[in-house]
Amino acid sequence: MKSKLIPVILAAAMALSLTACSHSSTSTTTVTTSFTDENGETTTHTTTTTSENGETVTEETVTEENAAGDEITEEPAEEFTEEDMDTPYEADESDIPTLRDEWADYFEYGAEGTTNEDERVLFTYDSPDPLTQAAIMIISPDDILTIYDVGPVQSDGDYYVIEDVDGDVELPFVVTDTADDHFEMTFKDGSYAELYYVDKDTIIDDMVSIIEQISE
């Protein structure tokens, strides 16, 4: 990728903020991811982790909105601390939808590979025909996440475009030269990637792990 790549883009409904106060030893990390289904309903998953004086508290909220932007449901935030890990309530965490759970509901297929510029590409999507939901990550040769785009897929002439919520990133691409074990993805700037199919669990784990590393 050329001028499209900038140091770190947390787009497609992922907002990441980190603040720290030296006098109180407090840090807060927030990760937000949104998906819009074919009915126009948007589900937003927000995870906020706060560490203060050695104690960590995590809050998770799931919000749903209809096509008009009206909120239709909101689940109360779930709170737990590191001390909860030693209590019988640890099992309750399984009731909290994780990002892996949400992605497993949206995506069925995946592929990984490299571009002609030695960038790593991870791509997951709901269906090859029609392609309606997808996520893509591009990582530079020095391991910097330069593109993260997730959301509904629209057509832009001959190209596909993943429409992220923020609208800050557009990476038009077209899929060509499909084979049994791989396909070629060509981007509008002329660069291209050779991607090999991986199973659903692998692509979701690899991509979500990158998000988790950023939020640590």
mmCIF file of all heavy atoms in Angstrom, residues 45-90:
data_model
loop_
_atom_site.group_PDB
_atom_site.id
_atom_site.type_symbol
_atom_site.label_atom_id
_atom_site.label_comp_id
_atom_site.label_asym_id
_atom_site.label_seq_id
_atom_site.Cartn_x
_atom_site.Cartn_y
_atom_site.Cartn_z
ATOM 1 N N HIS A 45 -20.447 -2.924 20.494
ATOM 2 C CA HIS A 45 -19.869 -3.616 21.649
ATOM 3 C C HIS A 45 -18.734 -2.751 22.189
ATOM 4 O O HIS A 45 -17.768 -2.459 21.479
ATOM 5 C CB HIS A 45 -19.358 -4.993 21.219
ATOM 6 C CG HIS A 45 -18.789 -5.805 22.343
ATOM 7 N ND1 HIS A 45 -17.523 -5.613 22.820
ATOM 8 C CD2 HIS A 45 -19.314 -6.820 23.083
ATOM 9 C CE1 HIS A 45 -17.282 -6.463 23.796
ATOM 10 N NE2 HIS A 45 -18.354 -7.213 23.965
ATOM 11 N N THR A 46 -18.858 -2.295 23.435
ATOM 12 C CA THR A 46 -17.858 -1.422 24.050
ATOM 13 C C THR A 46 -17.269 -2.091 25.280
ATOM 14 O O THR A 46 -17.998 -2.557 26.150
ATOM 15 C CB THR A 46 -18.480 -0.072 24.458
ATOM 16 O OG1 THR A 46 -19.060 0.548 23.313
ATOM 17 C CG2 THR A 46 -17.416 0.857 25.049
ATOM 18 N N THR A 47 -15.935 -2.154 25.312
ATOM 19 C CA THR A 47 -15.231 -2.708 26.461
ATOM 20 C C THR A 47 -14.321 -1.630 27.044
ATOM 21 O O THR A 47 -13.481 -1.078 26.340
ATOM 22 C CB THR A 47 -14.387 -3.930 26.071
ATOM 23 O OG1 THR A 47 -15.235 -4.924 25.488
ATOM 24 C CG2 THR A 47 -13.687 -4.516 27.281
ATOM 25 N N THR A 48 -14.498 -1.323 28.324
ATOM 26 C CA THR A 48 -13.670 -0.318 29.004
ATOM 27 C C THR A 48 -12.934 -0.988 30.155
ATOM 28 O O THR A 48 -13.557 -1.591 31.028
ATOM 29 C CB THR A 48 -14.524 0.839 29.536
ATOM 30 O OG1 THR A 48 -15.223 1.450 28.454
ATOM 31 C CG2 THR A 48 -13.640 1.882 30.222
ATOM 32 N N THR A 49 -11.614 -0.906 30.120
ATOM 33 C CA THR A 49 -10.790 -1.486 31.179
ATOM 34 C C THR A 49 -10.076 -0.360 31.927
ATOM 35 O O THR A 49 -9.371 0.452 31.319
ATOM 36 C CB THR A 49 -9.751 -2.457 30.598
ATOM 37 O OG1 THR A 49 -10.434 -3.486 29.880
ATOM 38 C CG2 THR A 49 -8.925 -3.095 31.701
ATOM 39 N N THR A 50 -10.260 -0.304 33.241
ATOM 40 C CA THR A 50 -9.642 0.728 34.067
ATOM 41 C C THR A 50 -8.738 0.069 35.096
ATOM 42 O O THR A 50 -9.164 -0.843 35.812
ATOM 43 C CB THR A 50 -10.708 1.574 34.783
ATOM 44 O OG1 THR A 50 -11.573 2.165 33.816
ATOM 45 C CG2 THR A 50 -10.052 2.666 35.621
ATOM 46 N N SER A 51 -7.490 0.506 35.143
ATOM 47 C CA SER A 51 -6.541 0.005 36.150
ATOM 48 C C SER A 51 -6.169 1.159 37.069
ATOM 49 O O SER A 51 -5.735 2.225 36.620
ATOM 50 C CB SER A 51 -5.282 -0.549 35.460
ATOM 51 O OG SER A 51 -5.593 -1.663 34.663
ATOM 52 N N GLU A 52 -6.352 0.954 38.368
ATOM 53 C CA GLU A 52 -6.041 1.991 39.341
ATOM 54 C C GLU A 52 -5.409 1.361 40.562
ATOM 55 O O GLU A 52 -6.009 0.492 41.200
ATOM 56 C CB GLU A 52 -7.304 2.758 39.725
ATOM 57 C CG GLU A 52 -7.022 3.913 40.686
ATOM 58 C CD GLU A 52 -8.254 4.762 40.948
ATOM 59 O OE1 GLU A 52 -9.323 4.422 40.415
ATOM 60 O OE2 GLU A 52 -8.130 5.754 41.673
ATOM 61 N N ASN A 53 -4.183 1.776 40.842
ATOM 62 C CA ASN A 53 -3.453 1.297 42.015
ATOM 63 C C ASN A 53 -3.428 -0.229 42.090
ATOM 64 O O ASN A 53 -3.639 -0.836 43.138
ATOM 65 C CB ASN A 53 -4.076 1.874 43.289
ATOM 66 C CG ASN A 53 -3.985 3.393 43.336
ATOM 67 O OD1 ASN A 53 -3.010 3.975 42.861
ATOM 68 N ND2 ASN A 53 -5.005 4.032 43.876
ATOM 69 N N GLY A 54 -3.181 -0.858 40.949
ATOM 70 C CA GLY A 54 -3.028 -2.309 40.921
ATOM 71 C C GLY A 54 -4.318 -3.088 40.767
ATOM 72 O O GLY A 54 -4.285 -4.303 40.610
ATOM 73 N N GLU A 55 -5.476 -2.426 40.789
ATOM 74 C CA GLU A 55 -6.760 -3.120 40.637
ATOM 75 C C GLU A 55 -7.346 -2.809 39.273
ATOM 76 O O GLU A 55 -7.372 -1.657 38.830
ATOM 77 C CB GLU A 55 -7.748 -2.690 41.719
ATOM 78 C CG GLU A 55 -9.088 -3.427 41.630
ATOM 79 C CD GLU A 55 -10.050 -3.038 42.734
ATOM 80 O OE1 GLU A 55 -9.640 -2.205 43.571
ATOM 81 O OE2 GLU A 55 -11.172 -3.544 42.749
ATOM 82 N N THR A 56 -7.815 -3.845 38.568
ATOM 83 C CA THR A 56 -8.362 -3.707 37.227
ATOM 84 C C THR A 56 -9.855 -3.982 37.226
ATOM 85 O O THR A 56 -10.313 -4.983 37.773
ATOM 86 C CB THR A 56 -7.673 -4.678 36.248
ATOM 87 O OG1 THR A 56 -6.270 -4.391 36.212
ATOM 88 C CG2 THR A 56 -8.247 -4.528 34.845
ATOM 89 N N VAL A 57 -10.617 -3.076 36.627
ATOM 90 C CA VAL A 57 -12.065 -3.229 36.493
ATOM 91 C C VAL A 57 -12.418 -3.153 35.013
ATOM 92 O O VAL A 57 -11.977 -2.241 34.317
ATOM 93 C CB VAL A 57 -12.832 -2.136 37.270
ATOM 94 C CG1 VAL A 57 -14.337 -2.289 37.051
ATOM 95 C CG2 VAL A 57 -12.512 -2.218 38.757
ATOM 96 N N THR A 58 -13.206 -4.109 34.528
ATOM 97 C CA THR A 58 -13.625 -4.149 33.130
ATOM 98 C C THR A 58 -15.137 -3.993 33.034
ATOM 99 O O THR A 58 -15.877 -4.664 33.740
ATOM 100 C CB THR A 58 -13.212 -5.474 32.459
ATOM 101 O OG1 THR A 58 -11.788 -5.576 32.488
ATOM 102 C CG2 THR A 58 -13.681 -5.515 31.004
ATOM 103 N N GLU A 59 -15.596 -3.070 32.174
ATOM 104 C CA GLU A 59 -17.010 -2.866 31.938
ATOM 105 C C GLU A 59 -17.304 -3.159 30.472
ATOM 106 O O GLU A 59 -16.578 -2.707 29.598
ATOM 107 C CB GLU A 59 -17.433 -1.428 32.270
ATOM 108 C CG GLU A 59 -17.189 -1.037 33.727
ATOM 109 C CD GLU A 59 -17.582 0.401 34.001
ATOM 110 O OE1 GLU A 59 -18.107 1.045 33.069
ATOM 111 O OE2 GLU A 59 -17.372 0.866 35.129
ATOM 112 N N GLU A 60 -18.375 -3.901 30.197
ATOM 113 C CA GLU A 60 -18.756 -4.227 28.836
ATOM 114 C C GLU A 60 -20.206 -3.832 28.601
ATOM 115 O O GLU A 60 -21.072 -4.118 29.425
ATOM 116 C CB GLU A 60 -18.553 -5.717 28.543
ATOM 117 C CG GLU A 60 -17.100 -6.141 28.713
ATOM 118 C CD GLU A 60 -16.767 -7.389 27.920
ATOM 119 O OE1 GLU A 60 -17.503 -7.682 26.959
ATOM 120 O OE2 GLU A 60 -15.782 -8.046 28.270
ATOM 121 N N THR A 61 -20.470 -3.160 27.468
ATOM 122 C CA THR A 61 -21.811 -2.703 27.133
ATOM 123 C C THR A 61 -22.125 -3.081 25.694
ATOM 124 O O THR A 61 -21.280 -2.933 24.810
ATOM 125 C CB THR A 61 -21.932 -1.174 27.297
ATOM 126 O OG1 THR A 61 -21.625 -0.825 28.651
ATOM 127 C CG2 THR A 61 -23.347 -0.707 26.973
ATOM 128 N N VAL A 62 -23.332 -3.584 25.466
ATOM 129 C CA VAL A 62 -23.800 -3.896 24.120
ATOM 130 C C VAL A 62 -25.030 -3.041 23.838
ATOM 131 O O VAL A 62 -26.001 -3.078 24.590
ATOM 132 C CB VAL A 62 -24.157 -5.387 23.962
ATOM 133 C CG1 VAL A 62 -24.664 -5.658 22.553
ATOM 134 C CG2 VAL A 62 -22.939 -6.252 24.256
ATOM 135 N N THR A 63 -24.990 -2.236 22.761
ATOM 136 C CA THR A 63 -26.088 -1.351 22.396
ATOM 137 C C THR A 63 -26.546 -1.670 20.984
ATOM 138 O O THR A 63 -25.720 -1.890 20.102
ATOM 139 C CB THR A 63 -25.651 0.134 22.476
ATOM 140 O OG1 THR A 63 -25.183 0.400 23.798
ATOM 141 C CG2 THR A 63 -26.809 1.057 22.152
ATOM 142 N N GLU A 64 -27.861 -1.693 20.760
ATOM 143 C CA GLU A 64 -28.405 -1.954 19.437
ATOM 144 C C GLU A 64 -29.235 -0.759 18.982
ATOM 145 O O GLU A 64 -29.975 -0.174 19.757
ATOM 146 C CB GLU A 64 -29.274 -3.216 19.442
ATOM 147 C CG GLU A 64 -28.485 -4.483 19.752
ATOM 148 C CD GLU A 64 -29.346 -5.729 19.694
ATOM 149 O OE1 GLU A 64 -30.556 -5.579 19.425
ATOM 150 O OE2 GLU A 64 -28.822 -6.823 19.910
ATOM 151 N N GLU A 65 -29.078 -0.394 17.696
ATOM 152 C CA GLU A 65 -29.854 0.690 17.111
ATOM 153 C C GLU A 65 -30.472 0.218 15.810
ATOM 154 O O GLU A 65 -29.893 -0.610 15.099
ATOM 155 C CB GLU A 65 -28.973 1.917 16.844
ATOM 156 C CG GLU A 65 -28.397 2.557 18.097
ATOM 157 C CD GLU A 65 -27.548 3.775 17.775
ATOM 158 O OE1 GLU A 65 -27.274 3.997 16.581
ATOM 159 O OE2 GLU A 65 -27.174 4.498 18.703
ATOM 160 N N ASN A 66 -31.667 0.748 15.480
ATOM 161 C CA ASN A 66 -32.293 0.386 14.217
ATOM 162 C C ASN A 66 -31.767 1.260 13.093
ATOM 163 O O ASN A 66 -30.870 2.080 13.296
ATOM 164 C CB ASN A 66 -33.825 0.468 14.331
ATOM 165 C CG ASN A 66 -34.288 1.869 14.701
ATOM 166 O OD1 ASN A 66 -33.587 2.855 14.475
ATOM 167 N ND2 ASN A 66 -35.473 1.963 15.284
ATOM 168 N N ALA A 67 -32.308 1.076 11.886
ATOM 169 C CA ALA A 67 -31.801 1.790 10.710
ATOM 170 C C ALA A 67 -31.930 3.301 10.850
ATOM 171 O O ALA A 67 -31.161 4.053 10.254
ATOM 172 C CB ALA A 67 -32.530 1.312 9.455
ATOM 173 N N ALA A 68 -32.911 3.764 11.654
ATOM 174 C CA ALA A 68 -33.110 5.199 11.836
ATOM 175 C C ALA A 68 -32.185 5.784 12.894
ATOM 176 O O ALA A 68 -32.176 6.980 13.131
ATOM 177 C CB ALA A 68 -34.566 5.478 12.227
ATOM 178 N N GLY A 69 -31.384 4.928 13.518
ATOM 179 C CA GLY A 69 -30.467 5.403 14.545
ATOM 180 C C GLY A 69 -31.077 5.446 15.929
ATOM 181 O O GLY A 69 -30.461 5.954 16.865
ATOM 182 N N ASP A 70 -32.298 4.917 16.074
ATOM 183 C CA ASP A 70 -32.948 4.903 17.387
ATOM 184 C C ASP A 70 -32.461 3.703 18.184
ATOM 185 O O ASP A 70 -32.400 2.585 17.673
ATOM 186 C CB ASP A 70 -34.473 4.818 17.236
ATOM 187 C CG ASP A 70 -35.030 6.020 16.476
ATOM 188 O OD1 ASP A 70 -34.511 7.127 16.689
ATOM 189 O OD2 ASP A 70 -35.975 5.832 15.687
ATOM 190 N N GLU A 71 -32.128 3.930 19.435
ATOM 191 C CA GLU A 71 -31.665 2.841 20.294
ATOM 192 C C GLU A 71 -32.831 1.925 20.620
ATOM 193 O O GLU A 71 -33.898 2.368 21.037
ATOM 194 C CB GLU A 71 -31.069 3.419 21.566
ATOM 195 C CG GLU A 71 -30.420 2.380 22.468
ATOM 196 C CD GLU A 71 -29.702 3.015 23.637
ATOM 197 O OE1 GLU A 71 -28.832 3.870 23.403
ATOM 198 O OE2 GLU A 71 -30.032 2.664 24.787
ATOM 199 N N ILE A 72 -32.640 0.616 20.404
ATOM 200 C CA ILE A 72 -33.732 -0.320 20.652
ATOM 201 C C ILE A 72 -33.489 -1.185 21.887
ATOM 202 O O ILE A 72 -34.419 -1.622 22.520
ATOM 203 C CB ILE A 72 -33.986 -1.207 19.413
ATOM 204 C CG1 ILE A 72 -32.705 -1.927 18.972
ATOM 205 C CG2 ILE A 72 -34.535 -0.391 18.286
ATOM 206 C CD1 ILE A 72 -32.894 -2.845 17.782
ATOM 207 N N THR A 73 -32.253 -1.454 22.194
ATOM 208 C CA THR A 73 -31.951 -2.169 23.439
ATOM 209 C C THR A 73 -30.601 -1.710 23.950
ATOM 210 O O THR A 73 -29.750 -1.284 23.185
ATOM 211 C CB THR A 73 -31.901 -3.704 23.248
ATOM 212 O OG1 THR A 73 -30.825 -4.028 22.358
ATOM 213 C CG2 THR A 73 -33.195 -4.248 22.708
ATOM 214 N N GLU A 74 -30.430 -1.835 25.224
ATOM 215 C CA GLU A 74 -29.125 -1.558 25.815
ATOM 216 C C GLU A 74 -28.956 -2.438 27.030
ATOM 217 O O GLU A 74 -29.764 -2.386 27.953
ATOM 218 C CB GLU A 74 -28.979 -0.090 26.204
ATOM 219 C CG GLU A 74 -27.599 0.218 26.780
ATOM 220 C CD GLU A 74 -27.377 1.692 27.013
ATOM 221 O OE1 GLU A 74 -28.241 2.492 26.622
ATOM 222 O OE2 GLU A 74 -26.349 2.043 27.601
ATOM 223 N N GLU A 75 -27.937 -3.265 27.019
ATOM 224 C CA GLU A 75 -27.684 -4.151 28.143
ATOM 225 C C GLU A 75 -26.842 -3.429 29.177
ATOM 226 O O GLU A 75 -25.881 -2.746 28.836
ATOM 227 C CB GLU A 75 -26.955 -5.407 27.665
ATOM 228 C CG GLU A 75 -27.760 -6.199 26.646
ATOM 229 C CD GLU A 75 -27.013 -7.422 26.188
ATOM 230 O OE1 GLU A 75 -25.954 -7.723 26.787
ATOM 231 O OE2 GLU A 75 -27.476 -8.073 25.244
ATOM 232 N N PRO A 76 -27.184 -3.534 30.467
ATOM 233 C CA PRO A 76 -26.396 -2.859 31.512
ATOM 234 C C PRO A 76 -24.952 -3.315 31.496
ATOM 235 O O PRO A 76 -24.642 -4.450 31.135
ATOM 236 C CB PRO A 76 -27.098 -3.300 32.809
ATOM 237 C CG PRO A 76 -28.463 -3.755 32.376
ATOM 238 C CD PRO A 76 -28.299 -4.307 30.986
ATOM 239 N N ALA A 77 -24.094 -2.406 31.848
ATOM 240 C CA ALA A 77 -22.668 -2.743 31.890
ATOM 241 C C ALA A 77 -22.408 -3.807 32.933
ATOM 242 O O ALA A 77 -22.999 -3.804 34.019
ATOM 243 C CB ALA A 77 -21.837 -1.484 32.201
ATOM 244 N N GLU A 78 -21.513 -4.734 32.588
ATOM 245 C CA GLU A 78 -21.130 -5.806 33.506
ATOM 246 C C GLU A 78 -19.759 -5.454 34.077
ATOM 247 O O GLU A 78 -18.836 -5.116 33.326
ATOM 248 C CB GLU A 78 -21.066 -7.126 32.750
ATOM 249 C CG GLU A 78 -20.735 -8.315 33.615
ATOM 250 C CD GLU A 78 -21.920 -8.793 34.428
ATOM 251 O OE1 GLU A 78 -23.060 -8.435 34.078
ATOM 252 O OE2 GLU A 78 -21.697 -9.502 35.412
ATOM 253 N N GLU A 79 -19.629 -5.483 35.377
ATOM 254 C CA GLU A 79 -18.374 -5.123 36.010
ATOM 255 C C GLU A 79 -17.784 -6.328 36.732
ATOM 256 O O GLU A 79 -18.493 -7.100 37.359
ATOM 257 C CB GLU A 79 -18.571 -3.984 37.022
ATOM 258 C CG GLU A 79 -19.073 -2.680 36.400
ATOM 259 C CD GLU A 79 -19.131 -1.573 37.418
ATOM 260 O OE1 GLU A 79 -18.569 -1.765 38.518
ATOM 261 O OE2 GLU A 79 -19.713 -0.525 37.140
ATOM 262 N N PHE A 80 -16.477 -6.467 36.612
ATOM 263 C CA PHE A 80 -15.792 -7.477 37.399
ATOM 264 C C PHE A 80 -14.354 -7.030 37.603
ATOM 265 O O PHE A 80 -13.806 -6.256 36.818
ATOM 266 C CB PHE A 80 -15.843 -8.859 36.730
ATOM 267 C CG PHE A 80 -15.218 -8.930 35.373
ATOM 268 C CD1 PHE A 80 -13.898 -9.322 35.212
ATOM 269 C CD2 PHE A 80 -15.955 -8.621 34.240
ATOM 270 C CE1 PHE A 80 -13.317 -9.397 33.971
ATOM 271 C CE2 PHE A 80 -15.374 -8.696 32.990
ATOM 272 C CZ PHE A 80 -14.060 -9.095 32.851
ATOM 273 N N THR A 81 -13.739 -7.472 38.692
ATOM 274 C CA THR A 81 -12.376 -7.116 39.018
ATOM 275 C C THR A 81 -11.527 -8.370 39.047
ATOM 276 O O THR A 81 -12.018 -9.490 38.919
ATOM 277 C CB THR A 81 -12.310 -6.426 40.401
ATOM 278 O OG1 THR A 81 -12.651 -7.380 41.405
ATOM 279 C CG2 THR A 81 -13.275 -5.246 40.459
ATOM 280 N N GLU A 82 -10.235 -8.168 39.214
ATOM 281 C CA GLU A 82 -9.325 -9.306 39.285
ATOM 282 C C GLU A 82 -9.662 -10.199 40.471
ATOM 283 O O GLU A 82 -9.477 -11.419 40.441
ATOM 284 C CB GLU A 82 -7.880 -8.812 39.382
ATOM 285 C CG GLU A 82 -7.393 -8.163 38.091
ATOM 286 C CD GLU A 82 -5.972 -7.671 38.211
ATOM 287 O OE1 GLU A 82 -5.478 -7.559 39.349
ATOM 288 O OE2 GLU A 82 -5.359 -7.402 37.179
ATOM 289 N N GLU A 83 -10.197 -9.613 41.563
ATOM 290 C CA GLU A 83 -10.560 -10.411 42.729
ATOM 291 C C GLU A 83 -11.685 -11.395 42.424
ATOM 292 O O GLU A 83 -11.799 -12.459 43.023
ATOM 293 C CB GLU A 83 -10.981 -9.495 43.882
ATOM 294 C CG GLU A 83 -9.840 -8.637 44.419
ATOM 295 C CD GLU A 83 -10.298 -7.741 45.555
ATOM 296 O OE1 GLU A 83 -11.514 -7.732 45.853
ATOM 297 O OE2 GLU A 83 -9.440 -7.066 46.141
ATOM 298 N N ASP A 84 -12.535 -11.050 41.454
ATOM 299 C CA ASP A 84 -13.644 -11.927 41.095
ATOM 300 C C ASP A 84 -13.168 -13.253 40.524
ATOM 301 O O ASP A 84 -13.915 -14.234 40.490
ATOM 302 C CB ASP A 84 -14.555 -11.247 40.064
ATOM 303 C CG ASP A 84 -15.250 -10.034 40.643
ATOM 304 O OD1 ASP A 84 -15.519 -10.045 41.852
ATOM 305 O OD2 ASP A 84 -15.513 -9.092 39.883
ATOM 306 N N MET A 85 -11.927 -13.296 40.031
ATOM 307 C CA MET A 85 -11.409 -14.524 39.437
ATOM 308 C C MET A 85 -11.340 -15.659 40.461
ATOM 309 O O MET A 85 -11.336 -16.830 40.094
ATOM 310 C CB MET A 85 -10.008 -14.272 38.859
ATOM 311 C CG MET A 85 -9.977 -13.207 37.792
ATOM 312 S SD MET A 85 -11.038 -13.601 36.387
ATOM 313 C CE MET A 85 -10.769 -12.156 35.370
ATOM 314 N N ASP A 86 -11.315 -15.306 41.745
ATOM 315 C CA ASP A 86 -11.207 -16.327 42.796
ATOM 316 C C ASP A 86 -12.548 -16.600 43.471
ATOM 317 O O ASP A 86 -12.597 -17.259 44.516
ATOM 318 C CB ASP A 86 -10.191 -15.881 43.859
ATOM 319 C CG ASP A 86 -8.806 -15.705 43.264
ATOM 320 O OD1 ASP A 86 -8.451 -16.499 42.378
ATOM 321 O OD2 ASP A 86 -8.106 -14.777 43.687
ATOM 322 N N THR A 87 -13.641 -16.106 42.886
ATOM 323 C CA THR A 87 -14.957 -16.282 43.488
ATOM 324 C C THR A 87 -15.824 -17.148 42.597
ATOM 325 O O THR A 87 -15.543 -17.339 41.418
ATOM 326 C CB THR A 87 -15.641 -14.917 43.680
ATOM 327 O OG1 THR A 87 -16.017 -14.428 42.397
ATOM 328 C CG2 THR A 87 -14.724 -13.932 44.369
ATOM 329 N N PRO A 88 -16.925 -17.693 43.129
ATOM 330 C CA PRO A 88 -17.840 -18.504 42.319
ATOM 331 C C PRO A 88 -18.464 -17.740 41.164
ATOM 332 O O PRO A 88 -18.987 -18.325 40.237
ATOM 333 C CB PRO A 88 -18.924 -18.932 43.327
ATOM 334 C CG PRO A 88 -18.258 -18.837 44.659
ATOM 335 C CD PRO A 88 -17.306 -17.684 44.555
ATOM 336 N N TYR A 89 -18.395 -16.407 41.189
ATOM 337 C CA TYR A 89 -19.021 -15.607 40.143
ATOM 338 C C TYR A 89 -18.193 -15.564 38.870
ATOM 339 O O TYR A 89 -18.580 -14.949 37.900
ATOM 340 C CB TYR A 89 -19.249 -14.171 40.644
ATOM 341 C CG TYR A 89 -20.238 -14.107 41.769
ATOM 342 C CD1 TYR A 89 -19.783 -13.974 43.085
ATOM 343 C CD2 TYR A 89 -21.606 -14.201 41.532
ATOM 344 C CE1 TYR A 89 -20.698 -13.933 44.128
ATOM 345 C CE2 TYR A 89 -22.516 -14.154 42.578
ATOM 346 C CZ TYR A 89 -22.051 -14.019 43.865
ATOM 347 O OH TYR A 89 -22.940 -13.971 44.902
ATOM 348 N N GLU A 90 -17.052 -16.203 38.884
ATOM 349 C CA GLU A 90 -16.222 -16.223 37.686
ATOM 350 C C GLU A 90 -16.989 -16.796 36.500
ATOM 351 O O GLU A 90 -16.831 -16.358 35.370
ATOM 352 C CB GLU A 90 -14.961 -17.045 37.938
ATOM 353 C CG GLU A 90 -14.020 -17.108 36.737
ATOM 354 C CD GLU A 90 -12.783 -17.918 37.037
ATOM 355 O OE1 GLU A 90 -12.655 -18.407 38.178
ATOM 356 O OE2 GLU A 90 -11.947 -18.062 36.149
#
